[in-house]
């Protein structure tokens, strides 16, 4: 049963194994494998390192944050294999096809039939683990009941996190008028697979499950946790605020964001940091004592830490778009500096030897090269911005600006506050918030992609994205185009046929 359970689940995730490997799992407990039985077993399962890595960088290739330099003549020779790669044609590592298809807004599939989609695979693998915990940990007999419920609640948050990512990548953006019929993703809530295929749930069904998971989880979570890989009560509230924001339920999003900020409102002060004049990790340090910028798990503004896959190849092949750089120049007065731009980006002179990247390839361009692991989980900056956006939409516009001022004090050297009371309209304040979201989450592809999908429905924002690669081509993506929706990988469809969007 354990083998059948895992293999059928992985098939749903689009993964393949040999029959020999399958036979290893038939019947009894596999040799060398642990079947969880106790509370401590499920806690160990929840602490598995694989759960802490999530998503991938390729959603960024659908956004307006990046550009290729178009220098197709700049090539790189792999020292170990002698292979020559050309950046403009995306012949880099094993990512060439997906990068090319995403950047050119290709119709149809992104991945080749033989390729895996890491976001889909990892998401469902993680969901399998969370399901095993959710459906079994409360029946354990060791430990305290409060600890069983805490572990159960943490797994519910983890499952909600994965489904919120999946439904927003592979489904139409939530629209109350169409969500009941829009395709979402398969909604799998059991770790025991019976052999049936998994229907594609609607966007509304997936969101209802996310909301139920989070509401059940919050009362069970600890108020204080020992590390940011585990969610606290405020994290549960913050995820509710994100979910309600995506749904357009702004009053509920604001209520939950404010509750989360009451528990944790810390922001790291980027104005206290500077960049050393040398290459890779450790280049961002405190100005007063040289202490390195903290890793994601040590940065107190990261309240739920998840790190993405494959950031290194992204940094080696793309530059920041002119459109993004222009956003960094907005809303500044003389003498101010946006430290996100100063610390995380390099122009011309930065060492770009990461994964064999050529410095001359980026000459004349600005690249995102922070040498800091990003967090794609949840942090207090997002909660400030959710609160600010919801205040701008349905609350107090002055309060929205106060939230922005608080964040910008920690991001802008010599920051000058937006004045309150303000004469700005709600739409003008909302524009300030959306620009701030873009600056704060630049190069975190999922955030910007979802913002584009949801904001393009509003006439004041609707935006056509154009990608170029020198003389190699130009491609456009109009607002609300179905190509914003990721296709379910062909390898998954071959195991589990389901209806698809026409993209």
């Amino acid at each position: 049963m354990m083998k059948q359970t895992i293999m059928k689940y992985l098939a749903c995730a689009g993964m393949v194994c040999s029959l020999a490997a399958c036979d290893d799992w038939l019947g009894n407990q596999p040799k060398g494998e642990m079947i969880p039985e106790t509370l401590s077993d499920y806690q160990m399962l929840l602490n598995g390192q694989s759960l802490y890595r999530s998503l991938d960088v390729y959603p960024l290739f659908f956004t307006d944050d990046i550009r290729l330099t178009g220098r197709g003549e700049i090539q790189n020779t792999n020292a170990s294999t002698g292979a020559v790669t050309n950046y403009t044609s995306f012949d880099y590592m094993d990512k060439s096809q997906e990068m090319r298809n995403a950047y050119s807004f290709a119709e149809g599939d992104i991945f080749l039939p033989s390729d895996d989609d890491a976001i889909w695979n990892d998401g469902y693998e993680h969901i399998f683990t969370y399901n095993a915990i959710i459906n079994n940990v409360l029946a354990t007999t060791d430990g305290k009941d409060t600890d069983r419920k805490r572990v159960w609640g943490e797994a519910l948050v983890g499952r909600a996190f994965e489904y919120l990512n999946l439904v927003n990548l592979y489904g139409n953006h939530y629209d109350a008028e169409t969500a009941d019929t829009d395709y979402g993703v398969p909604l799998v809530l059991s770790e025991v697979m019976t052999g049936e295929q998994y229907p594609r749930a609607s966007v509304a069904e997936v969101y209802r499950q996310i909301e139920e998971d989070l509401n059940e989880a919050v009362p069970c979570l600890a108020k204080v946790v020992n590390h940011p890989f585990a969610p606290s009560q405020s994290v549960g509230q913050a995820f509710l605020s994100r979910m309600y924001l995506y749904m357009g339920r702004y009053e509920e999003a604001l209520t939950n964001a404010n509750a989360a900020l009451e528990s944790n409102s810390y922001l790291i002060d980027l104005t206290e940091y500077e960049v050393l004049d040398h290459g890779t990790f450790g280049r961002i340090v405190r100005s007063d004592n040289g202490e390195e910028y903290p890793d994601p798990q040590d940065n107190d503004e990261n309240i739920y830490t998840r790190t993405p896959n494959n950031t290194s190849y992204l940094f080696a092949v793309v530059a920041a778009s002119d459109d993004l750089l222009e956003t960094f120049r907005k809303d500044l007065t003389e003498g101010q500096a946006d430290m996100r731009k100063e610390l995380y980006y390099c122009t011309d002179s930065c060492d770009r030897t990461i994964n064999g990247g050529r410095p001359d390839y980026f000459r004349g361009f600005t690249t995102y090269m922070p040498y800091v692991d990003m967090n794609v989980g949840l942090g207090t900056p997002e909660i400030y911005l959710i609160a600010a956006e919801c205040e701008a939409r349905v609350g107090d516009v002055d309060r929205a600006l106060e939230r922005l001022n608080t964040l910008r004090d920690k991001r802008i050297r010599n920051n000058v506050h937006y004045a309150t009371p303000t004469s700005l309209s709600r739409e003008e304040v909302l524009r300030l918030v959306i620009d701030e979201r873009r600056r704060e989450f630049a190069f975190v592809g999922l955030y910007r992609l979802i913002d584009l999908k949801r904001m393009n429905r509003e006439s004041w924002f609707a935006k056509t994205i154009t990608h170029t690669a020198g003389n190699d081509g130009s491609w456009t993506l109009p607002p609300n185009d179905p190509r914003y929706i990721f296709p379910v990988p062909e390898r998954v469809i071959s195991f589990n046929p389901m209806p698809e969007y026409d993209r």
Side-chain angles (χ1 to χ4, degrees), residues 13-16 58 98 111-119 121 489 491:
M15 300 185 70
V16 184
Y58 66 80
E98 67 193 63
F111 293 89
L112 294 174
S114 59
D115 289 343
D116 288 323
D117 179 344
I119 293 180
N121 286 1
R491 297 190 73 176

Side-chain angles (χ1 to χ4, degrees), residues 227-229 264 266 293-305 373-375 378-381:
H227 56 80
F229 296 113
N264 188 344
Y266 175 82
Y293 188 92
D295 290 331
Q297 68 272 17
D298 299 319
N299 184 344
D300 289 338
E301 72 175 24
N302 292 333
I303 60 176
Y304 189 69
T305 299
D373 288 330
M374 63 178 67
N375 178 33
L378 187 66
T380 52

Side-chain angles (χ1 to χ4, degrees), residues 242-438:
R242 177 191 283 181
M243 180 200 71
Y244 286 131
L245 177 74
Y246 292 168
M247 298 177 76
R249 292 164 60 175
Y250 301 118
E251 292 89 351
E252 292 158 289
L254 179 58
T255 297
N256 282 278
N258 286 336
L261 287 173
E262 288 179 4
S263 299
N264 188 344
S265 59
Y266 175 82
L267 294 167
I268 191 170
D269 191 347
L270 298 186
T271 69
E272 297 177 348
Y273 287 82
E274 62 182 16
V275 177
L276 299 178
D277 188 21
H278 70 74
T280 59
F281 286 89
R283 61 186 290 268
I284 302 177
V285 299
R286 285 186 61 93
S287 302
D288 55 355
N289 59 18
E291 181 179 317
E292 291 184 12
Y293 188 92
D295 290 331
Q297 68 272 17
D298 299 319
N299 184 344
D300 289 338
E301 72 175 24
N302 292 333
I303 60 176
Y304 189 69
T305 299
R306 293 294 185 269
T307 56
N309 296 303
N310 295 316
T311 55
S312 59
Y313 85 75
L314 167 73
F315 301 156
V317 298
V318 297
S321 69
D322 292 341
D323 190 58
L324 173 62
L325 296 176
E326 180 59 31
T327 302
F328 274 108
R329 289 187 283 266
K330 293 172 63 176
D331 308 318
L332 293 180
T333 60
E334 186 176 355
Q336 292 181 300
D338 192 320
M339 298 308 295
R340 292 165 295 198
K341 167 64 168 58
E342 300 299 317
L343 297 176
Y344 301 150
Y345 294 78
C346 302
T347 300
D348 288 340
S349 61
C350 181
D351 176 6
R352 297 182 181 84
T353 58
I354 186 169
N355 282 344
R358 287 275 298 274
D360 52 348
Y361 179 74
F362 294 97
R363 191 67 60 191
F365 295 89
T366 297
T367 58
Y368 181 72
M369 195 68 67
Y371 292 107
V372 172
D373 288 330
M374 63 178 67
N375 178 33
V376 293
L378 187 66
T380 52
E382 181 182 0
I383 309 173
Y384 275 98
L385 289 165
I386 291 174
E389 180 175 341
C390 294
E391 293 282 12
R393 290 182 181 275
V394 298
D396 184 334
V397 292
D398 288 337
R399 182 63 174 157
L401 292 176
E402 289 171 4
R403 292 297 196 191
L404 287 184
N405 288 334
T406 300
L407 175 62
R408 286 170 63 85
D409 280 344
K410 304 297 183 180
R411 299 299 190 255
I412 310 297
R413 180 170 288 162
N414 302 320
N415 184 42
V416 176
H417 281 194
Y418 296 120
T420 57
T422 184
S423 60
L424 297 176
S425 67
R426 287 191 181 276
E427 182 179 307
E428 289 171 324
V429 174
L430 186 56
R431 288 180 184 274
L432 294 177
V433 175
I434 299 304
D435 281 346
E436 203 66 59
R437 281 183 65 91
R438 187 177 185 188

Side-chain angles (χ1 to χ4, degrees), residues 1-2 5-6 9 34-39 41-46 51 123-140 148 151-156 158-159 163 188-193 213:
M1 175 60 71
M2 178 62 71
T5 294
I6 289 181
Y9 198 96
M34 180 191 76
I35 296 178
E37 297 176 346
T38 67
L39 173 60
D41 290 340
Y42 286 106
Q43 180 68 72
M44 290 176 62
L45 195 60
L46 190 62
L51 295 180
Y124 276 103
E125 284 188 69
H126 295 171
I127 288 168
F128 169 78
T129 300
Y130 291 129
N131 285 344
I133 298 167
I134 291 165
N135 296 326
N136 295 284
V137 68
L138 294 180
T140 60
R148 282 191 289 274
V151 171
W152 180 71
E154 290 181 10
L156 285 171
R159 185 168 73 182
Y163 271 124
V188 184
L189 304 178
S190 174
E191 79 285 8
V192 178
M193 302 298 128
D213 282 355

Side-chain angles (χ1 to χ4, degrees), residues 46-201:
L46 190 62
N47 291 343
Q49 187 175 2
S50 64
L51 295 180
Y52 300 156
R53 297 198 71 85
S54 186
L55 297 169
D56 199 289
V57 297
Y58 66 80
L60 186 64
F61 282 78
F62 286 84
T63 75
D64 50 357
D65 281 351
I66 65 169
R67 65 168 299 174
L68 292 178
T69 65
R71 295 185 177 178
E73 72 279 5
I74 302 298
Q75 297 179 326
N76 177 63
T77 302
N78 186 298
S80 60
T81 66
V84 177
T85 59
N86 178 295
Y87 289 115
T88 299
S89 61
F90 297 107
D91 296 329
Y92 192 85
M93 298 173 65
D94 60 346
K95 305 295 181 180
S96 58
Q97 189 64 46
E98 67 193 63
M99 292 164 68
R100 182 184 300 111
N101 288 343
Y103 189 80
S104 62
F105 309 128
E107 297 178 353
D109 292 308
I110 299 172
F111 293 89
L112 294 174
S114 59
D115 289 343
D116 288 323
D117 179 344
I119 293 180
W120 182 281
N121 286 1
D122 291 349
Y124 276 103
E125 284 188 69
H126 295 171
I127 288 168
F128 169 78
T129 300
Y130 291 129
N131 285 344
I133 298 167
I134 291 165
N135 296 326
N136 295 284
V137 68
L138 294 180
T140 60
T141 57
D142 62 321
K144 299 178 180 179
D145 186 55
T146 53
D147 288 332
R148 282 191 289 274
K149 289 182 177 178
R150 174 187 52 77
V151 171
W152 180 71
E154 290 181 10
L156 285 171
V157 171
R159 185 168 73 182
F161 169 73
E162 298 293 346
Y163 271 124
L164 192 59
N165 292 338
L166 290 170
V167 75
N168 275 287
L169 286 170
Y170 299 94
N172 198 17
H173 189 75
Y174 185 92
D175 183 330
E177 295 184 358
T178 63
D180 284 317
T181 54
D182 285 336
Y183 303 139
V185 292
L187 195 57
V188 184
L189 304 178
S190 174
E191 79 285 8
V192 178
M193 302 298 128
T194 60
E196 78 279 12
Q197 294 181 340
Y198 301 99
R200 189 167 189 172

